[in-house]
Structures are given as structure tokens and as C-alpha cells.
Amino acid sequence: MTQEHATDLYLISPLEVGGDFPQRLERALAAGKGLVTAFQFRVKGLESHETATLAEPLQAICAEHDVAFIVNDSVSLAKRLKADGVHLGQGDGDPKEAREELGPELGRTAQIGVTCHASRHLAMEAGEAGADYVAFGAFFPSTTKDKGDAERPEPELIEFWAGLFEIPCVAIGGITPDNCVPLVEAGADFLAVSGAVWNGDEVAAIEAFAKVLRA
């Protein structure tokens, strides 16, 4: 995940990725060429073989579109799939441990991101441990990132981070084409989106984001 100046989209999968989801992903990535630069595979509660079976066609689609394929939470699955990276929650260990588990070759190239909620401190710790990006949120109410009464960050947090650190930051949580402008203006490198794309027509949603982000 490299970032220059424009804000890019980081798609997060819905929890259900079977059925026609590979076709939907294909359509979304085709519509978002040059806009969607990463895709996070996020499923819960399945055994590892079933999870890998669901991941493989999606990983191939991402490779065809030159989109980074990031595995949520599971370093072991990322290693099994030789994924482009892994996204760690606060309970999933740190980037240094993850690189060691991935092994010398994959550990060197993997993009490792860390959820930092609304915390400057957690983000700085993640950066010191070798994170390739930090994720702040949820900025808006979100069904994907339901943290109840968790502290909601303000765009100023992104402004603070972007002004001081080279490590890219991802904004996450209930982001839509209608509410994303303050996050873009604050300097977010990536907008992580899920429901805004998958809860309706994915192509129309990507095109709506493109109008805002590539205006």
C-alpha cells in the first residue's frame, strides 16, 4: 500500500463472501481502477480451511487488478495465503511479532496495519513497532465496526497524524461519499469502506466515491 497524495479507497469485505461476492468484487475493482488500492478479507468464525477456500478466488481477483490483498486479524491465514499483508486489532499482537511469525521473506514484504481507535498513543506505539499504516475510527456509526460507546475520533486526529508522521493513516467507520470530505481534507491517506459499497450497488457506490475523491 503506497500512497502519494490523493486519498485512496481501502475496501473491507462483508462477513459473507460466498455466493456472488467474487463477481461483485470484480465489478467494484474494475469500477475503482486507480482508486481502490487495497482490499481486506474479513470473515469471522469459520475454520481455517473453509476460510482459505473463500479467500483464494478473491485474492486472485485482487492480484488481477493490482490491489493489495490484506487479511484481517489472522497472521497464520496471511502466511498460508502469502497475502500482501495483515491487519491487526489491538488484541492480535504487534507488527514486530507478526513479521516474525510470517517468516523472513513474507515478513519483509507484508503490509501490516494496526487498529488504533481514537488514540494517538496506540498509533505511535504501532509506528514504533513497525506498522506500515495505522487505522483510526470509527468516525461515524458503523455496523461493521460496532464499538458501542467507544470514543469516536475527530478529523483533527488525522490532521495531527498527517502533519507529524510519514506512516499512512486509514480512516474507518461508517464512511460514505456524503460524509467523507472532512476526513479527506484532514489528510487521510485511505478511506476504509464496507457497508457504503456492499449494502447497495457496488459500482454506483465506487463511482460516487470517485466523484468526491478525484474531483
Side-chain angles (χ1 to χ4, degrees), residues 27-39:
R27 287 195 292 271
L29 297 189
K33 204 139 196 75
L35 180 68
V36 178
T37 52
F39 171 77

Side-chain angles (χ1 to χ4, degrees), residues 154-179:
E154 296 293 332
E156 287 75 20
L157 177 59
I158 290 174
E159 208 169 319
F160 156 79
W161 185 265
L164 283 180
F165 299 98
E166 294 289 316
I167 299 167
C169 71
V170 176
I172 191 167
I175 296 168
T176 70
D178 296 328
N179 67 19

Side-chain angles (χ1 to χ4, degrees), residues 27-176:
R27 287 195 292 271
L29 297 189
K33 204 139 196 75
L35 180 68
V36 178
T37 52
F39 171 77
Q40 185 184 120
F41 177 75
R42 181 180 182 272
V43 299
K44 304 282 184 185
L46 301 177
E47 58 89 25
S48 58
H49 179 72
E50 189 180 354
T51 305
T53 301
L54 286 168
E56 281 161 4
L58 308 180
Q59 186 176 13
I61 291 165
C62 287
E64 283 167 25
H65 289 275
D66 201 24
V67 167
F69 184 84
I70 311 291
V71 170
N72 182 65
D73 288 351
S74 175
V75 178
S76 59
L77 180 63
K79 184 175 183 178
R80 175 175 177 166
L81 295 171
K82 295 185 171 63
D84 297 307
V86 63
H87 184 86
L88 304 174
Q90 280 299 314
D92 299 324
D94 73 17
K96 189 170 181 294
E97 293 163 357
R99 286 193 203 284
E100 285 168 7
E101 191 180 331
L102 289 168
E105 192 177 334
L106 193 57
R108 194 173 61 249
T109 60
Q111 299 285 312
I112 298 179
V114 178
T115 294
C116 300
H117 306 301
S119 172
R120 298 179 182 195
H121 176 68
L122 290 178
M124 287 188 273
E125 277 190 342
E128 283 170 15
D132 294 290
Y133 69 89
V134 297
F136 295 118
F139 281 91
F140 306 102
S142 162
T143 52
T144 309
K145 290 280 178 190
D146 182 16
K147 295 294 178 192
D149 296 325
E151 186 187 350
R152 207 174 286 296
E154 296 293 332
E156 287 75 20
L157 177 59
I158 290 174
E159 208 169 319
F160 156 79
W161 185 265
L164 283 180
F165 299 98
E166 294 289 316
I167 299 167
C169 71
V170 176
I172 191 167
I175 296 168
T176 70

